Amino acid sequence: QVPLVESGGELVQAGDSLRLSCAASGRTFRDYIKAWFRQAPGKEREFIATISWNGAGIYYADSMKGRFTISRDNAKDTVYLQMDSLKPEDTAVYYCAASRAYAGTRATAYSYWGQGTQVTVSS
């Protein structure tokens, strides 16, 4: 069973906004650090942002600052990624991940992953 389930990905136009969700499935991740990554075809998985268990600590990759916003609702055990002013180069599969301890920006440091949700931005 996949422990995290992403949703919200779809085909949008350049300039549109989209909000992705990632909900826990089968267990709780309320006290875990969570993060969003993305992977475009032929490229490595790319870090977007991470958020502490209580939402007080948030860190973005420099290239993601300004258009992407990470947030979480522990009552729903869900983490969100708000994406604004989308560009065709944002086209990728978006993944959420969770870690019990600080994991930073390295994908290999996160223990739990979702199956991903496809975001396609047309020009």
Side-chain angles (χ1 to χ4, degrees), residues 16-18 38 60 63-69 81-90 94:
D16 285 351
S17 295
L18 202 59
R38 69 183 184 184
Y60 295 94
S63 60
M64 308 297 175
K65 291 179 181 177
R67 296 191 301 119
F68 290 69
T69 304
L81 184 68
Q82 176 69 37
M83 305 186 293
D84 299 317
S85 302
L86 283 163
K87 305 174 182 180
E89 51 264 43
D90 293 320
Y94 284 71

Side-chain angles (χ1 to χ4, degrees), residues 61-116:
D62 286 342
S63 60
M64 308 297 175
K65 291 179 181 177
R67 296 191 301 119
F68 290 69
T69 304
I70 190 172
S71 63
R72 66 189 297 162
D73 183 343
N74 283 346
K76 297 180 180 179
D77 209 349
T78 299
V79 63
Y80 303 98
L81 184 68
Q82 176 69 37
M83 305 186 293
D84 299 317
S85 302
L86 283 163
K87 305 174 182 180
E89 51 264 43
D90 293 320
T91 295
V93 177
Y94 284 71
Y95 298 90
C96 68
S99 174
R100 186 80 182 198
Y102 175 75
T105 64
R106 295 176 298 114
T108 54
Y110 289 83
S111 303
Y112 301 93
W113 289 85
Q115 81 290 348

Side-chain angles (χ1 to χ4, degrees), residues 4-7 20-24 34 36 77-80 96-97 114:
L4 298 166
V5 179
E6 301 95 337
S7 61
L20 306 182
S21 300
C22 173
K34 291 183 178 176
W36 284 96
D77 209 349
T78 299
V79 63
Y80 303 98
C96 68

